[in-house]
């Protein structure tokens, strides 16, 4: 079975290196086909490992080699395939394979085609390192690897200033959070003596609660950055500057879910500090509502879906924070399928509309893009949590967890978020695919995507529909490793009232969105309507002015402070000191260079002077040694 483990892990790396061979060459389809095929091989190996773990309950653990060994510190390159990591492996490789095949068509006319596939496969390899490692150090390697690759992919079109800025924002904000994570890892090693998951978690119950609390807080700070939780959230929407397949991979199934995976993997720690878990759940519920509210008015198709991702990450953290780790992982899995499908569908629409992102400039596209219309509609139904699609089973389960655990404020916030999610999802569907053909006013002639791109998307479509059916089998497998708590409302009547009420609430939001945005009176907003000039609209469209605050009161202040340090301290103190010392040595050299004039008589004079100086020093030291007692007595008499 080790062969399957290594194949699943290293096949994406081989694909990345293969595509890199053509990096500076003319675009060639082989640079996309081979990495896609190797991703398919990784998916096949992950599937075999999933079947093995599911059928036998076995855990595969390998130590490839020693990485660090110094004193008591021992860190191997070790990898584990267990009930949690194999689920993540399946999600990552499945979505990645679909995205790779899709990208062959999407990036067909891009000059950076070869380079794109090298970055994309490297990203998948880093994510697999993250989820398959058996220790915190290996997880951190993968963590930083996906950070680097996301910077390369978000800023892929580096000639665009906005893309470079977004890439730098994501990279820097994640580095801030990663400092917290590093401190958490140091605390784990300092207090347990190991970074191996099994040994570290086994040692934690004997530690003081205060130490465990700080461990949990600092590790979660890292998760906040990677999963874009408030206040480190602004990079996620700006990251839409990258190619759409990047969004489908990074912002649906892989990088942004790494924070949730960290909390789930560290469940033995967070189970010991439920007060930290409650904070995580509360923050998750806040972020779910916070992000959904911004999606209500946004006029960028990809940003709406990005805010949706941020909102659903809030749901996952709410579940994990309440101790329902298997529920959080289940929603992570289900969400990856329908959210990746939504992003890829948005990519089809962008191509059809010549990269237009404003849904108000579309309308009526269902007539010319039937396949994309069906897929995005079904994905939106799953996202809204309508029975019997995947989102119903995972999202409603999180609502049930909050209710059963008597966290009614969190439950209410998540329920309200479910209604907003349904509204903004079908606002998007209505504006893009229904109503008047507004795109005709802009001289655009839309077309459907390549058929193979639609075929590549079809596995995500199927799983968005049926993933909920795997709930019980999934539960039986992952709860061999995670707490096997089941969440059931005690009264059957209460359960049915909650479930039916939630479904009616969500369907009402969908009906309202269709009624409001399928009207033939819908026009492209121009900033003159009463709604667009309202305080609430401006607050939401400007993201609660948080980016404005960051730019003007943090970034600007930091830039000005840096300029002061540069001009007043670096140049006038540090540089002046260094230059002054150098100038002293230079002037000394200038004045003493006459000693090396090459003139024989001058050289003899310096030799005599040097000899006299040395003899004088020798006589002085000799006399001092001879009369040392007398000199000490004389000096003591003077009081020295």
């Amino acid at each position: 079975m080790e062969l399957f483990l290594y194949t699943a892990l290293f096949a994406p790396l081989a694909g990345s290196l293969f595509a890199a061979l053509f990096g500076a060459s003319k675009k060639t389809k082989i640079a996309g086909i081979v990495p896609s095929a190797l991703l398919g091989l990784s998916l096949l190996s992950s599937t075999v490992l999933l079947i093995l773990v599911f059928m036998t309950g076995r855990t595969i653990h390998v130590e490839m080699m020693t990485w660090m060994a110094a004193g008591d510190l021992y860190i191997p390159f070790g990898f584990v395939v267990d009930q949690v990591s194999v689920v993540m492996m399946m999600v990552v490789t499945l979505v990645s394979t679909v995205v790779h095949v899709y990208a062959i068509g999407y990036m067909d006319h891009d000059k950076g085609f070869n380079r794109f596939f090298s970055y994309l496969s490297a990203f998948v390899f880093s994510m697999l390192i993250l989820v398959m490692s058996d220790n915190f150090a290996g997880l951190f390697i993968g963590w930083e690897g996906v950070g680097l690759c996301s910077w390369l992919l978000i800023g892929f079109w580096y000639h665009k200033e906005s893309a470079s800025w977004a890439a730098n924002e994501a990279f820097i904000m994640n580095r801030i959070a990663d400092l917290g994570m590093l401190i958490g890892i140091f605390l784990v090693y300092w207090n347990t003596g190991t970074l191996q998951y099994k040994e570290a978690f086994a040692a934690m119950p004997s530690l003081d609660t205060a130490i465990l609390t700080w461990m949990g807080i600092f590790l979660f700070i890292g998760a906040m950055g990677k999963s874009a939780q408030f206040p480190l959230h602004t990079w996620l929407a700006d990251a839409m500057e990258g190619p759409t397949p990047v969004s489908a991979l990074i912002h649906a199934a892989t990088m942004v879910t790494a924070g949730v995976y960290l909390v789930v993997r560290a469940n033995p720690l967070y189970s010991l500090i439920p007060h930290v878990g409650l904070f995580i759940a509360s923050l998750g519920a806040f972020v779910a509502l916070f992000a959904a509210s911004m999606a209500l008015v946004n006029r960028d198709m990809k940003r709406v879906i990005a805010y949706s991702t941020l909102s659903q990450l809030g749901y996952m953290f709410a579940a994990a924070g309440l101790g329902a780790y298997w529920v959080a992982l289940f929603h992570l899995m289900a969400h990856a399928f329908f959210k990746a499908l939504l992003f890829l569908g948005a990519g089809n629409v962008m191509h059809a509309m010549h990269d237009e992102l404003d849904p108000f400039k579309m309308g009526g596209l269902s007539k010319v893009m039937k396949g994309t219309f069906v897929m995005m509609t079904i994905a939106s139904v799953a996202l809204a949590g309508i029975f019997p699609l995947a989102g119903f089973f995972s999202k409603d389960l999180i609502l049930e967890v909050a209710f059963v655990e008597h966290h009614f404020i969190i439950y209410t916030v998540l329920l309200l978020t479910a209604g907003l999610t349904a509204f903004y999802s079908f606002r998007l569907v209505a504006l893009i695919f229904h109503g008047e053909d507004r795109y005709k006013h802009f001289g655009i002639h839309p077309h459907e995507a390549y058929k193979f791109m639609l075929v590549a998307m079809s596995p995500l479509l199927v799983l968005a529909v049926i993933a909920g059916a795997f709930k019980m089998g999934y539960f039986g497998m992952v709860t061999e490793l995670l707490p096997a708590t089941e969440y059931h409302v005690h009264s059957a009547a209460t359960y049915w009232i909650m479930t039916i009420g939630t479904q009616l609430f969500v369907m009402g939001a969908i009906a309202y969105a269709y009624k409001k945005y399928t009207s033939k009176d819908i026009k492209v907003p121009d900033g003159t309507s009463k709604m667009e000039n309202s305080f609430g609209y401006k607050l939401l469209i400007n993201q609660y002015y948080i980016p404005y605050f960051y730019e003007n009161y943090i970034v600007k202040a930091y830039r000005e402070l840096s300029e002061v340090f540069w001009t007043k301290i670096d140049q006038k103190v540090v540089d002046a000191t260094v230059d002054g010392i150098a100038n002293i040595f230079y002037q000394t050299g200038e004045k003493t260079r006459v000693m090396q004039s090459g003139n024989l008589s001058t050289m003899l004079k310096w030799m005599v002077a040097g000899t006299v100086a040395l003899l004088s020093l020798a006589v002085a030291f000799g006399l001092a040694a001879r009369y040392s007692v007398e000199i000490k007595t004389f000096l003591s008499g003077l009081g020295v």
Side-chain angles (χ1 to χ4, degrees), residues 14 189 366 563 605:
Y189 178 73
S366 61
E563 190 169 339
K605 289 177 184 177

Side-chain angles (χ1 to χ4, degrees), residues 298-590:
N298 202 277
R299 287 179 53 182
D300 184 313
M301 174 176 57
K302 286 177 66 178
R303 281 178 175 262
V304 171
I305 303 174
Y307 286 132
S308 173
T309 297
L310 184 54
S311 181
Q312 297 307 304
L313 287 167
Y315 269 91
M316 296 173 208
F317 277 116
L322 295 176
Y325 303 104
W326 71 269
V327 177
L329 190 62
F330 186 55
H331 190 51
L332 184 158
M333 177 182 67
H335 170 263
F337 302 142
F338 53 72
K339 186 53 62 65
L341 185 61
L342 270 175
F343 269 120
L344 297 182
N348 291 349
V349 173
M350 281 183 64
H351 264 202
M353 294 293 297
H354 307 305
D355 292 331
E356 177 58 61
L357 287 165
D358 188 348
F360 282 93
K361 296 181 180 179
M362 300 177 190
L365 288 180
S366 61
K367 302 166 192 172
V368 291
M369 302 184 71
K370 291 183 174 61
T372 299
F373 162 63
V374 170
M375 289 186 174
M376 287 192 71
T377 301
I378 292 176
S380 298
V381 172
L383 173 60
I386 301 295
F387 179 84
L389 274 68
F392 168 79
F393 292 95
S394 60
K395 187 189 291 185
D396 274 32
L397 192 54
I398 297 174
L399 291 170
E400 198 170 342
V401 168
F403 188 86
V404 170
E405 294 292 326
H406 304 295
H407 293 288
F408 299 116
I409 295 177
I410 292 176
Y411 170 79
T412 303
V413 170
L414 294 179
L415 180 62
L416 177 59
T417 302
L420 297 183
T421 302
F423 176 81
Y424 69 66
S425 298
F426 281 89
R427 167 183 177 264
L428 205 59
V429 171
L431 286 171
I432 294 171
F433 295 107
H434 300 286
E436 183 188 355
D437 303 345
R438 294 182 297 278
Y439 60 84
K440 291 181 178 178
H441 302 306
F442 302 96
I444 297 173
H445 303 284
H447 56 83
E448 184 59 281
Y450 296 132
K451 286 186 179 180
F452 82 87
M453 294 169 68
L454 297 176
V455 171
M457 294 164 63
S458 58
L460 297 176
L461 176 68
V462 173
L463 287 166
V465 175
I466 69 169
F470 302 126
K471 174 184 168 183
M472 295 315 298
Y474 159 86
F475 173 79
M477 182 180 75
V478 299
T479 51
E480 292 183 26
L481 190 64
L482 301 177
T485 309
E486 294 191 58
Y487 301 91
H488 299 296
V489 178
H490 297 304
S491 167
T494 304
Y495 170 77
W496 285 111
I497 290 172
M498 285 174 52
T499 303
I500 295 172
T502 302
Q503 291 290 288
L504 291 175
F505 178 49
V506 167
M507 290 179 182
I510 292 173
Y512 179 62
Y514 261 106
K515 181 180 179 181
K516 184 174 178 63
Y517 291 105
T518 55
S519 169
K520 294 197 175 182
D521 297 328
I522 290 287
K523 294 181 173 57
V524 181
D526 57 5
T528 60
S529 72
K530 184 181 292 186
M531 185 189 78
E532 290 173 287
N533 284 296
S534 67
F535 172 76
Y537 181 89
K538 289 181 177 179
L539 188 67
L540 295 178
I541 202 68
N542 288 291
Q543 305 172 56
Y544 294 94
Y545 293 97
I546 293 173
Y548 175 85
F549 174 81
Y550 286 171
E551 178 63 30
N552 288 278
Y553 296 99
I554 296 179
V555 176
K556 187 177 179 181
Y558 182 79
R559 187 185 298 118
E560 290 176 354
L561 183 64
S562 299
E563 190 169 339
V564 169
F565 272 91
W566 172 49
T567 56
K568 304 297 184 185
I569 297 177
D570 190 57
Q571 289 186 342
K572 293 186 177 180
V573 178
V574 179
D575 286 356
T577 302
V578 173
D579 292 344
I581 294 171
N583 191 52
I584 289 171
F585 280 103
Y586 178 80
Q587 292 299 329
T588 303
E590 282 290 308

